[in-house]
Amino acid sequence: MAAALGTQAQKPMSAPAGGKAISDELIGIFFEDISSSADGGLYAELVQNGSFEYNPAERDGWGPGTSWRVVRPGHSLGVLETRMTEGIHPNNPTYMRLHVERVKEYYDYKGWKGYGLQNDGFDGISVKGGEKYDFSVFLRNIGKAKKVRVVLVEPQGWGKDPNLLAEATLDVSDTSWRRYEAVLTPSATSAKAVLQILVLNEGDLDIDMVSLMPEDTFKGHGLRKDLAQALADLQPRFMRFPGGCVVHGGGDGFWDTYRWKTTIGPREQRRGLKNTWGYHQSMGLGYFEYFQFCEDLGMEPLPILPCGVSCQGTNGGWGMKDQAQDVVPMSEMDEWVDEALDLIEWANGDPAKSKWAKMRADAGHPAPFHLKYLGLGNEERISPEFIERFKYIYERVTKAHPEIVIVGTAGPGSHPGNRDFEAGWKLADEIGLPILDEHYYEPHDYFLKSRQYDNYPRDRKTKVYLGEYASKDKKLIDALAEGLYLLHVERNGDVVAMTSYAPLFARKNATNWNPDLIYFDNERPYLTCSYYVQQMFGLSAGQYYYGDCVKIDGGTDLQGQSVVLNTKTRQLFVKLCNASADAKTATIDLSRFKSLKKTGEKTTISGQPEDENNYEKQPVVPQKETVKASKKMKVDLAPYSMVMWQFSL
């Protein structure tokens, strides 16, 4: 943990008197494939619909040819046919057959010829000159051997030769499916490149699983480097995945449930799925990649599994008083128990003793992932049907694996008085559930004024995981409201164990939900005001909270403070927030911390309440400065600001 905070490993210290023990896992991240967060986002694949599995059930007008177009330089001739028989794998049945009838080199095209396909990626393919990109494709030849030219080009318009960036030639003769590879190194940087695959001989050729991946990914594990780094910079302690409503079918019913077993293994054997949010999930980013990313960032993995009941929005249920639910018959519930038990074996088991653990080892990770947390259900309506099925899974999983900490759900709209909230907490108290997941999205006024956790019972066994929350806009005032609320969460860190802002990512021009923590396009991420507040709390994790070290003169509900000590890293964090239009003065007394070093770092987030970071401008960026440390300080707190001091002990 010391390395995560950017400090040297030191001997842990004892906490001075007056502190309250709190969770040091308060800040995590929640990844759901919403707003094209995975394909075209965190997953670094540059080819869209490389498996030709897009279909109209996912989005009107979609089909196997979506994101593809036929190209025939030199006026070559051919026919493109979609086929679904004798594919690579039953989970990936669709492929294309290229019937090449004539290959001709037309004099205007200066050597360009062939019949084939072009992929435009996700709003173009962004490549950097001099960097390497791994191309792969499955091909099956029919008849005489063929040459296939693979090129990265930048189109120049009708009647003009494309600008060639990189090329490779494949010799194809196998009459059964075979994976072919090449490394493409563009000669120049381009934000609007396209990939072309050109057959240079007449005859038939089958094609599937087209891929173009940058070699320079986060820790070499296939994730887009800048987006993954933005998450690493939050210093999250855990990651919840894969959803969200994605977990249990969203509005489409339980048939569309996410099944983790079809997201592991070779890419060509993974089963794509209709996304709850109206597009296709390739599962290139699957459970293995999620767990690997958690390991890379030192996060606890928190996978969420369905427990036999569909999303509360199924069958038009959104906004209905009594939402309709699809439920699994109790006679079939053992399948869903096995889903959980097999996941624990896959993550933690011995490859010599477990077939699931052997699959993990065969994928390149013989050591266990050390799964600690497992979520069952996601904000379902807490109906009698849900309670029966949740208990069924919970009892069997905890009996087989008492070491696993189970996270349950309090339903949507998790505020006292809400029907599902009350039923969820009643169930949690009845069975002694370790952690309960609460969700709510509210206007910033709620977060400015509410102090929900001040009134929670202190003797309750069940801890809170605030798994989805956000102020309903992305202005500075929203971020400050969230900051004030998190200060109250820290104060209640004996009751609240974990939190995660949601949603995490949104792609430009493909956004299903606003606000989001990080927006992005092909070139870069755009960090919101809320991102920087989350980062401040992620950096300042600790085990003890001190509530009596700071006094804000004339303070109101729009100001807040906390002092947190990390005994493992010997770091002390003082955070103050002023969400009002009036400047304030605060007195800080750190006398109880005897070994305070001479200097520290001050981080300030400030601006006007309506300021917003977006694609055009980023007015709110943290300002850092080295400051002299003092055990007693009187400080000015500017309007609409949040400030953190970090001191070493």
Side-chain angles (χ1 to χ4, degrees), residues 402-421:
E403 77 282 6
I404 297 296
V405 179
I406 300 298
V407 179
T409 177
S414 303
H415 296 309
N418 176 279
R419 180 183 63 181
D420 294 317
F421 173 89

Side-chain angles (χ1 to χ4, degrees), residues 176-420:
S176 58
W177 286 110
R178 176 188 157 191
R179 189 173 188 265
Y180 293 81
E181 301 175 348
V183 176
L184 299 177
T185 306
S187 57
T189 295
S190 174
K192 291 293 182 182
V194 299
L195 177 72
Q196 293 183 352
I197 304 167
L198 300 168
V199 183
L200 303 182
N201 307 97
E202 295 170 358
D204 291 352
L205 185 72
D206 293 333
I207 180 171
D208 201 359
M209 293 302 298
V210 183
S211 173
L212 184 69
M213 290 281 288
E215 288 192 1
D216 187 20
T217 60
F218 190 76
K219 296 187 182 296
H221 289 156
L223 301 187
R224 187 173 143 178
K225 202 170 182 180
D226 57 348
L227 298 186
Q229 188 61 52
L231 299 183
D233 291 343
L234 289 168
Q235 301 288 2
R237 269 39 180 191
F238 65 90
M239 183 172 81
R240 171 183 172 224
F241 60 88
C245 292
V246 163
V247 167
H248 48 192
D252 292 314
F254 208 66
W255 68 270
D256 201 26
T257 297
Y258 191 105
R259 307 300 293 267
W260 71 267
K261 293 178 182 179
T262 62
T263 76
I264 59 174
R267 300 292 196 279
E268 66 273 13
Q269 296 180 15
R270 300 184 184 186
R271 179 173 64 86
L273 185 68
K274 178 185 178 181
N275 186 286
T276 295
W277 304 105
Y279 54 92
H280 181 82
Q281 293 174 274
S282 74
M283 301 304 176
L285 178 57
Y287 258 56
F288 183 87
E289 290 74 26
Y290 285 128
F291 273 82
Q292 191 173 58
F293 186 50
C294 288
E295 187 175 75
D296 287 342
L297 264 61
M299 304 181 288
E300 295 285 354
L302 174 50
I304 308 295
L305 296 180
C307 55
V309 180
S310 70
C311 174
Q312 72 278 8
T314 297
N315 302 321
W318 292 106
M320 296 173 62
K321 182 178 180 181
D322 294 296
Q323 296 104 323
Q325 291 176 304
D326 287 345
V327 297
V328 172
M330 288 302 299
S331 61
E332 299 176 11
M333 280 300 296
D334 284 346
E335 176 184 346
W336 300 94
V337 173
D338 290 343
E339 192 92 348
L341 297 179
D342 292 345
L343 175 60
I344 296 169
E345 278 300 311
W346 177 83
N348 293 352
D350 182 347
K353 300 177 181 179
S354 165
K355 73 171 186 177
W356 293 107
K358 185 177 184 302
M359 291 181 68
R360 183 196 71 234
D362 290 345
H365 202 286
F369 279 119
H370 303 293
L371 176 66
K372 173 183 174 182
Y373 297 110
L374 177 63
L376 296 175
N378 170 72
E379 67 174 36
E380 293 92 347
R381 175 175 161 246
I382 313 301
S383 63
E385 294 82 5
F386 171 85
I387 292 172
E388 182 181 19
R389 284 153 183 79
F390 183 89
K391 283 183 175 180
Y392 190 86
I393 294 183
Y394 178 77
E395 290 169 0
R396 283 152 182 78
V397 172
T398 53
K399 182 178 179 180
H401 291 282
E403 77 282 6
I404 297 296
V405 179
I406 300 298
V407 179
T409 177
S414 303
H415 296 309
N418 176 279
R419 180 183 63 181
D420 294 317

Side-chain angles (χ1 to χ4, degrees), residues 36 55-63 66 274 277-280 510 512:
S36 296
N55 66 75
E58 297 169 330
R59 181 169 293 180
D60 289 345
W62 270 19
T66 298
K274 178 185 178 181
W277 304 105
Y279 54 92
H280 181 82
N512 298 104

Side-chain angles (χ1 to χ4, degrees), residues 40-42 46 120 122-129 131 133 154 188-193 224-230 506-509 518-527 615:
L42 185 60
L46 297 172
D120 298 334
F122 298 88
D123 300 321
I125 295 175
S126 181
V127 295
K128 296 179 181 178
E131 296 198 359
Y133 295 82
E154 191 174 57
T189 295
S190 174
K192 291 293 182 182
R224 187 173 143 178
K225 202 170 182 180
D226 57 348
L227 298 186
Q229 188 61 52
R507 181 179 174 84
K508 185 179 182 181
N509 300 327
I518 302 168
Y519 293 80
F520 65 92
D521 56 22
N522 285 347
E523 302 302 310
R524 56 167 290 190
Y526 297 84
L527 308 178
Y615 295 101

Side-chain angles (χ1 to χ4, degrees), residues 16 549 588-596 630-632:
C549 296
I588 303 172
D589 186 349
L590 305 177
S591 299
R592 74 188 68 186
F593 304 101
K594 303 300 182 182
S595 56
L596 202 67
S630 176
K631 291 186 178 180
K632 292 189 176 181

